[in-house]
Amino acid sequence: MPVPEMAVTPVKSLFWEVFPPMSTRRVYCTPVFLDGLVYVLGGCSETGLPLDTAEALDVASQTWTQLPSLPTARAGATAVALGNRLLVVGGMDAQQSPLSSVEIYNPDEGKWERKASLGQPSMGITSLEKDGKVYALGGMGADTTPQALVRVYEPAKDQWQPLPSMPTPRYGAASFLRGNKIYVLGGRQGKLPVTAFEAFDLEPGGLQQPGPHNFYSRPHFVSTMEEYDTELGVWIKPTRASRMREKRADFVAGCLGGRVIAAGGLGNQPSPLGSVESYNPVRKRWEYVAPLPSPRCSCAGLQTPHMLFLIGGVAQGPSNAVEALCQRETV
């Protein structure tokens, strides 16, 4: 289905807003957006140890507030907003072992509470919330093998229940909702990137593989971009113009103003990339956007309706920078 011309924001209307830095430099932290606040939970410190610190940025006033520490220090966790609370799941501890612990934060009370733990310890889970339930997919287990686990948390019962496993085990994948389907794409199996793209249908509770694909590819930087039509259920044949202008890995991806954004990351240079590209689906080509104020890779990305946040990450070491790509018309 063609995208209307008006749906794509002009490149010049996208700009970076620089927020006050976090009090703690961190990488592999977990951001969540709730009621105008960006919560940043845990992560890995400059000494390589997981953090129990939590802080919140009020986007409107651009002020940070220190929150009560997480009961469990963790890096590489996943978290979702669950009603007016935050649920943080899994991650890695100081011994670099995956965690099974689950904790919930109530901003009104300013308190953390332990909840039912995962059956199997996991880090690098991808998660999302739908209809008051939390779905946790994939992860890496204690033996460092990728997991195909799919689990659902029901807050009223404080229980995790298993669902049919994914066809492809993986950790560090991305997931999104469309209708009653959870789509899972990418991820890793050790040093190998996974190209599998699969969908879990919440209605019949089954998994689908939307189209032909290779499960693995060699670990090298690429500039390829593939486009999937969720209505037709087919992959759109890539062209030379659909390739990103730069090869990059460990970047933040998002959607803003009808464009797909690829920001920062690691290229073939010794230092992180500051360049930012956006894919125009009408012109079917990549166009440069204003560069990242603080070039870095391995940032935590956070998408809101009109902003794409890049939080922490790595420059020379762990970073405390917080920046957001914004739309000038609405911000």
Side-chain angles (χ1 to χ4, degrees):
M1 187 174 178
V3 180
E5 187 72 42
M6 290 297 291
V8 179
T9 300
V11 167
K12 291 182 179 180
S13 69
L14 299 177
F15 69 99
W16 286 96
E17 185 167 349
V18 178
F19 291 89
M22 296 181 288
S23 62
T24 306
R25 297 178 183 274
R26 57 181 95 200
V27 63
Y28 307 129
C29 59
T30 307
V32 189
F33 185 74
L34 177 64
D35 295 335
L37 298 177
V38 174
Y39 292 85
V40 183
L41 313 174
C44 195
S45 71
E46 293 177 284
T47 59
L49 293 174
L51 296 162
D52 63 1
T53 57
E55 48 192 316
L57 170 69
D58 186 310
V59 176
S61 66
Q62 298 200 8
T63 55
W64 286 96
T65 301
Q66 292 299 308
L67 305 177
S69 298
L70 282 79
T72 308
R74 59 183 82 214
T78 187
V80 295
L82 187 59
N84 63 344
R85 299 179 295 172
L86 307 176
L87 189 77
V88 60
V89 179
M92 183 185 70
D93 65 12
Q95 286 71 47
Q96 297 188 335
S97 297
L99 291 164
S100 61
S101 58
V102 176
E103 294 149 1
I104 199 163
Y105 180 69
N106 187 327
D108 295 333
E109 298 178 0
K111 292 181 180 178
W112 286 96
E113 182 183 353
R114 296 182 188 273
K115 290 296 181 180
S117 64
L118 293 164
Q120 298 91 345
S122 299
M123 66 164 291
I125 293 171
T126 182
S127 66
L128 41 77
E129 180 273 340
K130 180 172 171 57
D131 298 331
K133 297 180 180 181
V134 177
Y135 295 85
L137 303 98
M140 184 176 74
D143 57 359
T144 70
T145 59
Q147 299 169 330
L149 298 169
V150 179
R151 296 164 274 196
V152 60
Y153 177 70
E154 299 189 42
K157 299 178 182 178
D158 189 25
Q159 287 182 347
W160 289 92
Q161 298 292 340
L163 293 174
S165 295
M166 295 186 293
T168 308
R170 60 179 99 186
Y171 63 91
S175 61
F176 65 92
L177 271 168
R178 188 172 178 88
N180 280 312
K181 290 183 179 180
I182 298 174
Y183 289 91
V184 184
L185 63 158
R188 299 184 67 166
Q189 294 185 339
K191 292 183 179 180
L192 291 172
V194 174
T195 59
F197 181 47
E198 297 158 350
F200 185 84
D201 195 323
L202 297 173
E203 294 272 332
L207 280 148
Q208 302 171 335
Q209 298 182 30
H213 52 268
N214 297 317
F215 288 107
Y216 316 104
S217 66
R218 294 193 306 277
H220 59 268
F221 298 156
V222 295
S223 58
T224 53
M225 189 278 294
E226 298 176 74
E227 194 172 350
Y228 182 73
D229 190 317
T230 55
E231 301 294 331
L232 298 177
V234 297
W235 287 97
I236 298 170
K237 187 176 180 180
T239 64
R240 184 174 293 276
S242 66
R243 289 176 178 263
M244 288 190 290
R245 297 191 176 192
E246 296 183 55
K247 294 180 179 180
R248 62 181 77 218
D250 296 334
F251 59 94
V252 168
C255 186
L256 202 61
R259 296 170 173 271
V260 175
I261 307 295
L266 196 62
N268 292 318
Q269 301 82 9
S271 56
L273 295 168
S275 61
V276 182
E277 302 179 53
S278 69
Y279 181 70
N280 185 325
V282 173
R283 297 182 178 179
K284 297 193 179 301
R285 70 182 188 190
W286 287 88
E287 300 165 343
Y288 279 115
V289 182
L292 189 60
S294 304
R296 55 201 198 279
C297 64
S298 301
C299 301
L302 181 63
Q303 178 84 61
T304 72
H306 303 296
M307 307 175 86
L308 177 62
F309 283 88
L310 272 68
I311 300 168
V314 174
Q316 297 300 316
S319 171
N320 60 356
V322 177
E323 297 157 351
L325 189 64
C326 311
Q327 291 176 246
R328 197 172 301 278
E329 296 92 342
T330 54
V331 176

